[in-house]
Amino acid sequence: MSDELKKGLEGVLVAESELSYIDGDEGQLVYRGYTIEDLAREASYEEVLYLLWHGELPTEAELEAFEAEMAAERSVDDAVLETVRDLAESDEVPMAALRTAVSELSAFDEDADEETDPTDREANLAKGKRITAKIPTIIAAFTRIRDGEEPVAPREDLSHAGNFLYMLNDEEPDDVMEDVFDQALVLHADHGLNASTFSAMVTSSTLADLHSAVTSAVGTLGGSLHGGANQNVMEMLKEVDESEKDPVQWVEDALERGDRVAGFGHRVYNVKDPRAKILSEQSEELGEAAGDTKWYEMSVAIEEYMAEEKGLAPNVDFYSATTYYQMGIPVDIYTPIFAMSRVGGWIAHVLEQYDDNRLIRPRARYVGPTDQEFTSVDER
């Protein structure tokens, strides 16, 4: 057994997966053999969920049934909604509120009985539909209550993306908004063994239940080095705008101070994140539709400078930030929206883990003191 230290498990192979493939040198992302470009432009989020969970794209009849099953699970129990209300009124951080609410969902899930086999695939698919369908309801309710408004009940006649925007704003989104948001959900649905996905796998490897695994993943995604990056990008761009400086000059000043520029660099990609390419187009389209492309133009100027001067390319967070902002989505729920999408990938990876489970148990190299002599407490 090798004693080579791999901090952060970088480059360590720990599993085989049929779900997603990333080529960081070529800038490619593939879900079950389909390029992210094709899926984002041609498939709905519901189709991608079906693909990840079942291994193939659905037929028209299968998709219609799947959409109906998901839509029927959107409502949350009153007790969960009360918890969400309490958390919103106490100014809880959105991701912490989501983590708590997701955990509570298990108390009202008919397939979450303690005696149920945690690896039962059909039971987990049923639980997965419920969790995925209810997370948007939780996020929208939390946001509205916090902002002094009452939650909007979900509707079953809207798409997953359209229903969330409806619950958030109390009005149906136009086709452009719905399509752009649906694309964003597809782009974020899975991405290999990222930190939150891996935490879900570690939890499920102990034969803990699906709700526990997803709760672990939500907690992991809440960290600023993972899911919080797009919020950091938008806060940076707003600071640039408020400074009234040229964006390039602002970045030069920031780098001179030793500050990081949010939204650049990635643990996997050595070139531009393919998801960023698609979202940059959406950001431009939204700006043109609104008659104000300043956020897009600012982003492009920063991207070009960072590429020329630092050799760094933008990641998905860089353009998802302005895309969401131009849709009127509050900045501090960007990460919960990330979770709303990525839960599909988390569940798919947990299903794979259960199918061929082995407890995930790495080792650490001990570097502490040795040969200590114990003394009784009265002699210390």
Side-chain angles (χ1 to χ4, degrees), residues 11-32:
V12 176
L13 285 172
V14 299
E16 292 184 333
S17 176
E18 298 180 355
L19 295 170
S20 59
Y21 167 75
I22 304 163
D23 187 326
D25 294 325
E26 295 296 327
Q28 294 180 346
L29 173 60
V30 174
Y31 295 171
R32 289 197 183 273

Side-chain angles (χ1 to χ4, degrees), residues 344-355:
W346 293 336
I347 291 166
H349 282 274
V350 169
L351 292 173
E352 274 197 337
Q353 182 67 35
Y354 284 145
D355 284 343

